Amino acid sequence: MGKPTGFLEYERETAQVLEPKERIQNFSEFRVPLSEKKQSLQGARCMACGVPFCQSGVMLGGMVSGCPLNNLVPETNDLVYTGNWEQAYRRLKKTHCFPEFTGRVCPALCEAACTCGLNGEPVSTKENERSIIETAFENGWVKAEPPKIRTGKKVAVVGSGPSGLAAAMQLNRRGHLVTVFERNDRIGGLLRYGIPNMKLDKKVIDRRIQLMEEEGVRFVTNTDVGKDIQAKELLKDYDRVILACGASNPRDIQAKGRESKGIYFAVDFLKGVTKSLLDSEFKDQAYVSCKGKHVVVIGGGDTGNDCVGTAIRLGAKSVTQLEMMPKAPDGRAANNPWPQWPRVCKTDYGQEEAIAVFGKDPRIYQTTVSEFIPDKNGNLCQLKLVKLKGEKDEKTGRMRMVPVAGSEEVIPAEVVLIAAGFLGSQKYVTDAFQVEVDQRTNVKTGEGYQTSKERVFTAGDMHRGQSLVVWAIHEGREAAKAVDQSLMGYTNL
Ligand SMILES: Cc1cc2nc3c(=O)[nH]c(=O)nc-3n(C[C@H](O)[C@H](O)[C@H](O)COP(=O)(O)OP(=O)(O)OC[C@H]3O[C@@H](n4cnc5c(N)ncnc54)[C@H](O)[C@@H]3O)c2cc1C
Ligand code: SF4
């Protein structure tokens, strides 16, 4: 696979990234891929290690290591090296529905588990993946694949995020008639209205949806199942239903002054910005303005980082990001060895941009909001922050973060974006279909993807809780398999 000595001969090289001060001028993608020749050499760095953890997708140390889709990583890397791009594409699509999404936004679990990464830099598998699919599109190899024979069975998919789309693609190609219902005005779930345009250009989604329509998938937008259409109607009209509605209940921050004007949930904020960009290139001004304002993001994770990058592009005067937990180590801790997923501090694109624009890392650790302070008109103008420290809970024995007395400070804040995670599925949908949920309100299933309600299946964040695009695609494909099995008595998906 690759070139046995390639990892010794060639350094890891990744896409050129535009300078922060240049890229914040717009909402366009800012990675300039390597030339085909240079990318091929990156494939050569895959070294026939014989233990491809990169494609394993197994639990190690409580977290998944390697690709959850079990992409045939060493094989595709080899085909990239030998310049067999069409073969590489054919190999990649055996396990993957949408490499154009993960090639842009996946945290690359494969690379974290790459043997080359044990003593050096891992193979750039994610960018190889992106090059394979983009080369395939450029050369016209990615075509609509309508089924030759229809089974006459009908499947409704509720939700058009990556899990719903993956399930729809698989089931339609298998010959079932698939309709995807989406409550938003556009298809894509969080690919569309969560992940910002600079990370995933929305034309990449449109390109794929057009192909799926040509294949025969029907998309119905602006339709909220459980409100605009009743569950019993879907169950009457369709042989199977897949619930792929995501985990869209945001976790709130309860503190004095929470009712002040200027406090938004991260996804509502990000959705407004992308919708305004797509509808009118911001001419309608139908988004939360950050121009000249002090913006505080509550939550130090990836969603918080997307808020930082977006607020900077909107002209924020300052951006601060609050994180409750202590800073993670810069390198792997002794109890977090390769090939486990590295629990280390990463400085993502939004934070890099904040450093370039404001001269410092926007993150403040072990800190939360104890009060939102409005002005006399009810508009947020300040935040009272408090430091936190770890303390053992006497009853449970677990560590929890508690306020440090006397550590309060007040900072200016006119816009607050809450990016504190999600709490699972929405009750009106699970009630409508009468499916059981677990303690976290994720939809319960047995071994597979069948819910407690006959003929109703589930996939993605609604099933596993807030996760990743690659997991959503995995779940969509697996749920499709389960549905096909239940419809036909066997499955070849
Ligand atoms: C801001 C943000 C950034 C992220 N960035 C990344 C990233 O860089 N990389 C990564 O791997 N993951 C990222 N994630 C996580 C990733 O986007 C999700 O794990 C993934 O999209 C989940 O897919 P899904 O199909 O299960 O649900 P979703 O993508 O949430 O899609 C669910 C869809 O169902 C629709 N829906 C819900 N209820 C109904 C109903 N009753 N009727 C009709 N439609 C309904 C919703 O409108 C939505 O469109 C990010 C998440 C967020 C919030
Ligand atoms: S989907 Fe993600 S984890 Fe899997 S090979 Fe691609 S970049 Fe790696």
Side-chain angles (χ1 to χ4, degrees):
M1 299 297 167
K3 186 178 183 192
T5 54
F7 73 104
L8 297 171
E9 291 172 45
Y10 311 114
E11 295 292 323
R12 177 180 161 108
E13 198 180 343
T14 49
Q16 187 206 336
V17 180
L18 297 185
E19 285 301 319
K21 284 195 176 163
E22 187 183 345
R23 68 195 194 218
I24 60 165
Q25 304 305 323
N26 56 51
F27 282 77
S28 304
E29 286 187 4
F30 51 81
R31 301 180 78 80
V32 186
L34 297 180
S35 67
E36 194 177 306
K37 201 169 156 211
K38 281 191 168 180
Q39 201 70 54
S40 280
L41 290 184
Q42 292 304 305
R45 296 188 70 245
C46 191
M47 58 166 160
C49 62
V51 197
F53 285 104
C54 54
Q55 64 181 29
S56 63
V58 292
M59 289 291 281
L60 287 177
M63 293 183 82
V64 171
S65 175
C67 178
L69 288 165
N70 307 121
N71 278 355
L72 303 165
V73 172
E75 294 182 33
T76 47
N77 281 338
D78 183 51
L79 291 164
V80 165
Y81 167 51
T82 51
N84 286 306
W85 292 92
E86 188 170 357
Q87 275 297 333
Y89 164 60
R90 301 209 176 284
R91 204 58 60 95
L92 185 55
K93 83 186 181 80
K94 275 181 184 295
T95 54
H96 207 336
C97 299
F98 311 119
E100 66 272 33
F101 302 153
T102 50
R104 288 173 165 81
V105 306
C106 191
L109 290 78
C110 52
E111 293 185 20
C114 173
T115 304
C116 256
L118 181 53
N119 279 313
E121 295 280 355
V123 177
S124 57
T125 296
K126 174 177 165 180
E127 290 193 2
N128 289 352
E129 179 173 304
R130 177 179 165 151
S131 296
I132 294 168
I133 187 67
E134 290 307 325
T135 307
F137 270 109
E138 275 161 30
N139 285 283
W141 303 326
V142 189
K143 293 196 177 80
E145 296 180 30
K148 294 205 172 68
I149 299 168
R150 287 282 175 191
T151 61
K153 310 279 185 200
K154 291 167 73 185
V155 181
V157 176
V158 186
S160 70
S163 64
L165 290 179
M169 175 188 270
Q170 294 291 92
L171 288 166
N172 177 67
R173 288 185 177 178
R174 174 71 176 91
H176 308 307
L177 280 168
V178 182
T179 306
V180 179
F181 293 90
E182 171 55 57
R183 66 184 172 192
N184 280 327
D185 62 340
R186 289 182 172 92
I187 295 297
L190 289 172
L191 295 170
R192 173 80 63 181
Y193 283 142
I195 299 174
N197 199 66
M198 53 273 192
K199 249 164 85 182
L200 174 64
D201 190 313
K202 305 310 163 195
K203 289 192 207 77
V204 174
I205 309 174
D206 298 337
R207 179 177 68 179
R208 179 58 76 174
I209 300 307
Q210 198 183 326
L211 279 168
M212 289 178 69
E213 279 176 332
E214 284 170 34
E215 289 173 2
V217 178
R218 202 173 141 240
F219 291 101
V220 182
T221 50
N222 293 312
T223 303
D224 197 335
V225 174
K227 291 182 183 165
D228 302 326
I229 295 190
Q230 294 312 310
K232 60 174 189 266
E233 276 182 66
L234 282 198
L235 288 165
K236 179 165 74 63
D237 294 345
Y238 293 86
D239 297 295
R240 297 289 181 275
V241 174
I242 300 180
L243 299 178
C245 303
S248 41
N249 268 339
R251 184 177 285 123
D252 204 352
I253 301 289
Q254 290 306 344
K256 192 173 165 208
R258 172 65 182 84
E259 69 291 349
S260 311
K261 285 178 250 167
I263 305 172
Y264 307 89
F265 287 116
V267 171
D268 295 342
F269 166 74
L270 294 169
K271 177 183 172 185
V273 173
T274 302
K275 185 162 160 49
S276 177
L277 171 71
L278 297 178
D279 284 353
S280 68
E281 300 217 332
F282 298 125
K283 287 191 195 83
D284 61 9
Q285 298 190 352
Y287 58 91
V288 174
S289 169
C290 294
K291 200 167 177 54
K293 294 185 179 164
H294 295 288
V295 177
V296 177
V297 180
I298 305 178
D302 295 344
T303 302
N305 172 67
D306 287 334
C307 290
V308 171
T310 301
I312 289 176
R313 279 166 180 71
L314 294 177
K317 190 171 184 182
S318 73
V319 183
T320 306
Q321 190 179 9
L322 307 179
E323 167 57 51
M324 283 178 74
M325 302 307 288
K327 181 176 176 288
D330 291 322
R332 283 181 184 274
N335 63 356
N336 176 216
W338 175 91
Q340 288 181 11
W341 175 254
R343 289 187 290 270
V344 296
C345 177
K346 68 172 185 190
T347 299
D348 212 333
Y349 75 98
Q351 287 128 9
E352 277 174 6
E353 290 161 2
I355 292 166
V357 175
F358 304 116
K360 63 177 175 119
D361 196 313
R363 289 168 287 190
I364 306 179
Y365 295 92
Q366 291 186 246
T367 302
T368 193
V369 173
S370 61
E371 187 178 341
F372 299 96
I373 306 171
D375 63 15
K376 60 180 181 343
N377 298 318
N379 296 315
L380 185 71
C381 62
Q382 288 177 319
L383 287 183
K384 191 182 276 182
L385 306 184
V386 64
K387 287 271 167 218
L388 301 170
K389 63 174 181 188
E391 194 179 84
K392 205 169 188 177
D393 187 314
E394 293 299 325
K395 279 192 199 143
T396 62
R398 285 204 190 142
M399 288 300 282
R400 55 186 186 138
M401 301 304 286
V402 295
V404 178
S407 67
E408 288 85 359
E409 76 170 302
V410 172
I411 63 166
E414 287 132 340
V415 172
V416 162
L417 305 171
I418 301 178
F422 297 86
L423 292 172
S425 63
Q426 289 189 302
K427 196 166 161 13
Y428 76 92
V429 188
T430 51
D431 280 355
F433 285 91
Q434 296 170 331
V435 292
E436 280 178 30
V437 296
D438 65 17
Q439 276 177 334
R440 298 174 161 197
T441 70
N442 299 329
V443 176
K444 246 190 191 170
T445 58
E447 285 287 291
Y449 291 78
Q450 160 84 56
T451 67
S452 57
K453 176 94 178 172
E454 217 187 323
R455 299 197 291 124
V456 180
F457 293 71
T458 186
D461 282 6
M462 189 176 196
H463 177 222
R464 63 183 294 119
Q466 190 199 8
S467 187
L468 295 172
V469 171
V470 64
W471 273 114
I473 296 170
H474 166 88
E475 292 240 331
R477 290 171 66 94
E478 291 299 312
K481 208 188 271 185
V483 165
D484 188 39
Q485 172 76 42
S486 82
L487 283 171
M488 310 301 284
Y490 73 101
T491 182
N492 54 11
L493 283 177

